[in-house]
Amino acid sequence: MKEQKEIIQPISLSGKFIMKLSIKQFWVKLNLVWFVLFFLIGCILLATFYPYYIEKLYSARLYRIYAEMLRWLTGRLPFSIGDVLYVLAGFYLGYSVFKLGKLLFQKNRSGIRCLLTRMLKIGGVGYIWFMLSWGLNYHRLGIAYQLGIEVKPYTTDELCVLRDSLAYRLNELRKQITADSILPTPALAKLYQQAPRYYSWAAKRQLFLQYHYPGIKSSLFTPWAKYFGWGGYYNPFTGEAQIRANMPRILIPYTVLHEIAHQIGYAGEEEANFVGYLVASESGNAYVSYSCYSELYKYVFNELLLRNTFPDASPALDTLVKNDFKRVNRFFMEEQNNIAPQMMNLYDVYLRANQQKNGINSYNEVVGLLIAYQKKYGKI
Ligand SMILES: [Zn+2]
């Protein structure tokens, strides 16, 4: 079809006036878009300096209402709509980069400017959406404030006390699950369904752990998860929690509890780990608690490695527990690849940009919370 060029022919003085006005209006409108974007980003950045108000107004109220509405909507779908949107966004990004390359090759300056402007605007809207729909939770006071515990630097001796407590609980729980050398593999659906129940039980003691309208799904990217290096992730745009379904089953219960913690507004990885612990330890389900304590033991062990100290391992882990650990390690060793570490580096940058100063090691910071909690409540 032949392209039709619009010819503007001012036939009168008043016609000229209207044309000039519309160009002026166009520029006003364009500048207004930028003004609104910068204004909102400025307000968000300013808000991050006030964690108390973020805690009280945003995390405890606005975010909760918004996230529940979102889950009410997306939780009904049997698949992850968030994953579908990520794929579409990926295609759009790929297309834009391809188009940019083409324009650069053609040295089409106005085309490049137009495309970059559009990409910047989309990036700005994406940032605002991310921060308002979840990201501000990175700047809240958080679980330590809510529980009235103070996280302080801890000694290696304190670390060892925690490790021993965890080892004791692990040995005890493992016996409760089964005397068999192989752990049972409950159905994924069952593990997804029971997690919200444990949150409602925990919420009887800690009201802020309330969780309504569940939205836990297996990730559509599960077959390729080994290249990303995650066990689960939260999609702040759809409110869904996605789980890597093909991990060793024992890792699933704690991962689900961790992702639900993100859903109810605990953005920091150490916080989500700790909230997962609070819920698992009250679940009364040996399998779920064992899943949680195994992970926590790993974090404590990592901390000891980081300190380059290898104190005696008393009380020793039960042989069954050791074998479970070995099986999980073997699983991850077998799927080692060159891509996952690069993806982890990217995730590290993301975390550092979002108030997680230790990046990927933020998960380990749960240790500080556990020690502070153990000191205050005398249990783990
Ligand atoms: Zn997480």
Side-chain angles (χ1 to χ4, degrees):
M1 200 167 77
K2 199 166 177 263
E3 194 181 77
Q4 283 187 340
K5 278 188 182 167
E6 195 182 343
I7 302 165
I8 303 168
Q9 264 188 335
I11 50 167
S12 67
L13 276 176
S14 59
K16 263 186 187 174
F17 176 71
I18 288 166
M19 193 178 76
K20 275 184 183 171
L21 194 71
S22 62
I23 290 170
K24 203 174 173 184
Q25 278 174 337
F26 170 76
W27 280 107
V28 168
K29 204 177 151 190
L30 189 75
N31 288 333
L32 193 70
V33 171
W34 283 115
F35 173 76
V36 170
L37 281 179
F38 278 113
F39 177 74
L40 286 175
I41 291 172
C43 286
I44 288 168
L45 292 176
L46 190 67
T48 62
F49 288 101
Y50 298 94
Y52 178 81
Y53 292 105
I54 289 181
E55 178 71 43
K56 296 289 177 189
L57 299 174
Y58 176 77
S59 302
R61 291 167 191 269
L62 291 174
Y63 170 75
R64 276 193 172 262
I65 297 167
Y66 169 77
E68 283 181 9
M69 279 166 55
L70 203 57
R71 288 199 301 276
W72 176 79
L73 212 68
T74 58
R76 295 152 184 265
L77 296 167
F79 64 95
S80 168
I81 184 75
D83 284 353
V84 175
L85 293 177
Y86 276 155
V87 170
L88 293 176
F91 276 125
Y92 180 75
L93 187 69
Y95 168 73
S96 298
V97 171
F98 168 76
K99 204 172 165 188
L100 185 64
K102 200 173 152 191
L103 290 169
L104 279 168
F105 184 73
Q106 291 168 342
K107 293 179 181 166
N108 183 342
R109 285 188 178 188
S110 64
I112 294 167
R113 197 165 52 237
C114 191
L115 182 66
L116 286 177
T117 307
R118 190 170 5 138
M119 285 171 83
L120 267 175
K121 273 185 196 164
I122 291 171
V125 170
Y127 175 76
I128 293 165
W129 188 6
F130 168 76
M131 288 302 278
L132 293 181
S133 64
W134 190 62
L136 278 175
N137 284 316
Y138 278 112
H139 303 271
R140 66 184 291 188
L141 293 174
I143 193 71
Y145 167 78
Q146 288 175 311
L147 288 174
I149 56 176
E150 201 183 342
V151 181
K152 292 177 184 166
Y154 45 84
T155 64
T156 304
D157 284 345
E158 286 173 319
L159 208 49
C160 288
V161 169
L162 177 62
R163 180 206 59 184
D164 295 349
S165 307
L166 292 173
Y168 178 78
R169 293 284 287 133
L170 277 170
N171 290 345
E172 201 181 49
L173 289 163
R174 184 59 175 83
K175 284 188 195 104
Q176 285 175 29
I177 297 171
T178 174
D180 202 72
S181 62
I182 306 287
L183 283 166
T185 49
L188 277 175
K190 188 184 165 195
L191 296 175
Y192 294 171
Q193 279 160 15
Q194 67 188 14
R197 197 163 66 239
Y198 300 141
Y199 263 86
S200 64
W201 291 351
K204 283 181 185 154
R205 292 161 67 90
Q206 318 285 0
L207 200 64
F208 46 78
L209 295 178
Q210 275 181 349
Y211 173 60
H212 305 296
Y213 308 110
I216 308 148
K217 297 165 185 184
S218 292
S219 168
L220 297 180
F221 306 128
T222 291
W224 307 281
K226 67 177 179 182
Y227 299 111
F228 296 100
W230 42 254
Y233 52 92
Y234 173 60
N235 186 326
F237 303 106
T238 61
E240 298 159 294
Q242 281 79 200
I243 308 295
R244 179 184 172 181
N246 62 0
M247 286 192 295
R249 196 57 51 93
I250 190 60
L251 301 181
I252 302 284
Y254 188 54
T255 306
V256 173
L257 297 181
H258 174 105
E259 297 309 327
I260 293 177
H262 283 322
Q263 286 184 311
I264 60 170
Y266 297 96
E269 296 304 341
E270 76 288 3
E271 290 207 298
N273 273 341
F274 186 68
V275 169
Y277 151 74
L278 286 178
V279 177
S281 62
E282 299 286 335
S283 69
N285 181 323
Y287 191 81
V288 172
S289 300
Y290 185 72
S291 170
C292 164
Y293 285 106
S294 305
E295 280 293 289
L296 297 180
Y297 189 88
K298 190 184 81 185
Y299 293 124
V300 174
F301 197 76
N302 278 347
E303 278 297 294
L304 286 168
L305 286 180
L306 286 173
R307 291 183 179 207
N308 217 10
T309 49
F310 306 95
D312 67 275
S314 59
L317 286 176
D318 194 280
T319 314
L320 289 175
V321 179
K322 279 186 194 164
N323 286 341
D324 294 340
F325 281 13
K326 277 180 197 161
R327 241 173 250 121
V328 170
N329 283 345
R330 206 177 305 135
F331 172 84
F332 288 109
M333 290 288 282
E334 279 170 10
E335 58 172 35
Q336 266 186 343
N337 59 79
N338 294 328
I339 301 168
Q342 310 309 326
M343 298 305 285
M344 282 293 108
N345 285 341
L346 276 179
Y347 187 50
D348 187 75
V349 172
Y350 161 82
L351 288 174
R352 284 177 199 277
N354 280 293
Q355 203 70 3
Q356 300 260 269
K357 58 184 187 302
N358 289 326
I360 206 76
N361 288 325
S362 304
Y363 289 86
N364 266 19
E365 287 174 34
V366 68
V367 172
L369 283 161
L370 288 168
I371 289 173
Y373 184 79
Q374 195 177 22
K375 268 187 191 168
K376 181 167 181 178
Y377 293 95
K379 62 173 185 177
I380 209 74

